[in-house]
Amino acid sequence: MKLNTKALRYLTPEDWRVLTAVELGSKNHEVVPTPLITQISGLRGGSGVHKCISNLAKVNLIAKVKNAKYDGYRLTYGGLDYLSLHTHLKRKTLYSVGNQIGVGKESDIFVVASPTGVQYVLKIHRLGRISFRTVKANRDYLRNRNSGSWMYMSRLAALKEFTFMTALRDNGFPVPEPIAHSRHTIVMSLIDAFPLRQITEVPDPAGLYSELIDMILRLAQFGLIHGDFNEFNILIKEKTAVPDIEGGEGETASSETLKVLTPILIDFPQMVSIDHANAAMYFDRDVNCIKRFFERRFHFTSDEPGPFFSDAKAQLRKKGGRRLDVGVEASGFSKKMAKELETYMREVGVDGDGSGDEGQQSRRSEDDEETEEEAEAEEEEDAKAEEQSEGSTDGRGLRGEPDVAKAYDGHPIPGEDLSSQELHGWSSFSDKT
């Protein structure tokens, strides 16, 4: 699903009411009956509602389903995107959308800007597009669950990530700053950093390895296991420090600079409690992912065995302290939500990074293949939507960098003045909303 904000500024208040009505009706109907849309929207006169429905269908925010038993429409991912962006706009969190800087099996990443010109990152969860083949094979599972829709699960993934990110940030963990959350989207701070998978050389592999292992152990001390702790979900922020060297007469301080690398942890939908039934497996997998990557990329192997899950549990019992897994549940992300999301992600094939070196090395190619499958499926769906609706827009969606997967390369775009609406790569959507 491509994000195209071209039509957002032209939607009328009545269009937003009808689109919101379709969203509300989707809680109990896969295809929302047209009379129910009219009733929920509260608009007088059926002709006005039908005109809004036609406008929304033309830009693929809602879609008519073929061979349905009754006249109705379903909410598309584009419609959910617009509703989320509209909420961020009303809260004055966002003003414009820039280039796509990340794409993965589970999300899309965009650079966005606030009304004051501050650049943020917009993460859109798209859990349903993970694998069309896998989802089709599990349709029986989805049919038997009222809460098993792609959009509902994407909303749960966004809620979980925002909740955990907030808790980790408040407790001093190096994670992006959470700014706002709406439906299946998260706005977070833009970090000037590189994904660990893109880095080929570091000045001190042993020091960086130790820092990452310590982060895994520190998470465990707070009752959490990341579940997908690998080079795709770790950003490396580089700082330059000048060593303080005292020089005598005629001597100057050394011109050499030191590079200080700070790891930043991202992506939390797979995070679980240390009391989880499979906690030991997730913990060992996180540790082994780092060990394998450092051995393969930096030719570094630690002399110390472990750490092991039993050691982390013993340390947790000994030190006690605040349990973030309990705190997150108290903040609104319940055990029921966590169980639903975990079951769905396992059913459709999102369960961390896989296993083995081969799984690590082939992850990028799998992303590319599935993205191609997704594009083909979207083209077929868009073609059907165009036939069913009364036309389609000729605008083109924002295009992202093709060489980015899962993690985002958080480099600010230099020289951009966000006060102008004619910026290259930026789309302002605040004119008529």
Side-chain angles (χ1 to χ4, degrees):
M1 177 64 206
K2 299 173 183 177
L3 178 63
N4 181 4
T5 61
K6 182 177 180 180
L8 197 150
R9 69 178 72 178
Y10 300 113
L11 296 184
T12 64
E14 290 76 18
D15 292 334
W16 287 114
R17 291 183 67 173
V18 171
L19 187 60
T20 303
V22 177
E23 181 191 26
L24 294 175
S26 298
K27 293 181 179 180
N28 298 315
H29 299 81
E30 183 178 354
V31 179
V32 186
T34 303
L36 182 61
I37 298 175
T38 304
Q39 179 182 352
I40 297 176
S41 65
L43 296 178
R44 296 181 179 179
S47 60
V49 174
H50 286 287
K51 180 180 179 181
C52 294
I53 289 176
S54 177
N55 293 337
L56 297 173
K58 286 180 181 179
V59 291
N60 296 326
L61 302 184
I62 60 175
K64 201 175 184 69
V65 179
K66 271 189 176 182
N67 302 323
K69 295 181 180 179
Y70 52 85
D71 182 51
Y73 293 83
R74 66 174 179 85
L75 183 67
T76 66
Y77 251 130
L80 193 62
D81 291 346
Y82 268 44
L83 287 168
S84 179
L85 290 175
H86 188 58
T87 299
H88 288 306
L89 180 63
K90 289 192 297 184
R91 295 174 181 171
K92 297 184 179 180
T93 305
L94 302 183
Y95 175 78
S96 58
V97 176
N99 294 326
Q100 184 174 358
I101 57 173
V103 60
K105 292 185 293 184
E106 306 147 52
S107 61
D108 289 329
I109 313 293
F110 293 87
V111 174
V112 295
S114 70
T116 59
V118 179
Q119 293 185 2
Y120 294 133
V121 165
L122 174 69
K123 182 173 183 179
I124 305 176
H125 285 265
R126 304 197 188 280
L127 209 57
R129 75 164 186 204
I130 298 156
S131 172
F132 283 101
R133 296 176 182 175
T134 306
V135 171
K136 288 178 181 178
N138 289 281
R139 277 182 178 175
D140 290 338
Y141 161 77
L142 296 177
R143 191 181 299 116
N144 296 329
R145 293 178 57 86
N146 295 330
S147 59
S149 72
W150 296 353
M151 295 180 187
Y152 174 73
M153 292 301 166
S154 294
R155 294 169 75 127
L156 279 189
L159 174 61
K160 180 177 182 179
E161 180 159 25
F162 185 82
T163 305
F164 274 104
M165 193 186 306
T166 303
L168 292 172
R169 180 83 178 187
D170 292 343
N171 286 271
F173 282 89
V175 299
E177 179 185 0
I179 305 299
H181 161 251
S182 174
R183 295 175 175 87
H184 64 317
T185 64
I186 298 174
V187 179
M188 66 187 83
S189 59
L190 179 65
I191 298 177
D192 185 8
F194 292 95
L196 180 58
R197 63 179 177 80
Q198 292 183 355
I199 297 177
T200 59
E201 183 179 356
V202 294
D204 183 16
L208 181 59
Y209 171 85
S210 177
E211 197 167 352
L212 293 176
I213 293 298
D214 288 344
M215 190 183 299
I216 295 177
L217 291 174
R218 187 171 175 231
L219 284 170
Q221 290 177 12
F222 280 84
L224 297 175
I225 298 174
H226 188 275
D228 202 10
F229 198 95
N230 54 58
E231 65 271 21
F232 292 88
N233 295 324
I234 299 171
L235 305 180
I236 301 299
K237 187 175 182 179
E238 182 180 279
K239 290 184 179 180
T240 302
V242 179
D244 187 12
I245 301 178
E246 296 182 359
E249 290 187 16
E251 296 180 2
T252 58
S254 172
S255 59
E256 295 183 359
T257 58
L258 297 178
K259 292 183 179 179
V260 180
L261 303 182
T262 303
I264 308 294
L265 188 60
I266 61 173
D267 200 13
F268 310 104
Q270 292 88 4
M271 185 166 278
V272 297
S273 168
I274 199 170
D275 296 328
H276 189 276
N278 298 323
M281 182 271 291
Y282 287 124
F283 182 88
D284 293 339
R285 187 175 67 183
D286 285 352
V287 173
N288 291 331
C289 281
I290 297 301
K291 286 179 176 289
R292 287 196 303 266
F293 176 76
F294 271 75
E295 182 178 355
R296 182 176 66 247
R297 179 64 58 85
F298 306 126
H299 307 291
F300 171 81
T301 303
S302 176
D303 297 332
E304 298 181 3
F308 302 104
F309 179 71
S310 57
D311 300 331
K313 287 281 286 187
Q315 194 172 17
L316 175 64
R317 288 192 296 267
K318 181 179 179 180
K319 292 188 176 182
R322 185 179 180 185
R323 292 283 298 266
L324 292 185
D325 53 340
V326 179
V328 165
E329 181 182 351
S331 67
F333 190 80
S334 64
K335 285 184 178 180
K336 180 183 177 182
M337 292 179 178
K339 187 175 181 180
E340 287 179 338
L341 180 60
E342 179 188 356
T343 303
Y344 178 83
M345 294 173 75
R346 184 173 62 251
E347 289 288 338
V348 299
V350 182
D351 189 21
D353 66 318
S355 59
D357 292 334
E358 183 178 354
Q360 285 287 325
Q361 294 170 351
S362 63
R363 180 172 182 171
R364 175 63 182 278
S365 61
E366 290 174 357
D367 285 354
D368 294 340
E369 292 173 2
E370 291 180 357
T371 302
E372 292 176 1
E373 291 178 5
E374 173 210 341
E376 294 174 359
E378 285 179 358
E379 290 176 0
E380 294 176 2
E381 184 178 351
D382 291 343
K384 292 179 182 179
E386 289 176 1
E387 293 175 359
Q388 294 162 2
S389 62
E390 299 178 357
S392 63
T393 59
D394 57 354
R396 300 177 62 187
L398 294 171
R399 298 191 178 273
E401 298 295 335
D403 193 33
V404 183
K406 195 91 190 277
Y408 64 86
D409 182 0
H411 278 283
I413 301 175
E416 297 284 10
D417 181 9
L418 302 184
S419 61
S420 172
Q421 297 181 12
E422 303 296 331
L423 300 175
H424 173 69
W426 288 87
S427 174
S428 170
F429 45 76
S430 62
D431 287 352
K432 296 187 178 182
T433 49

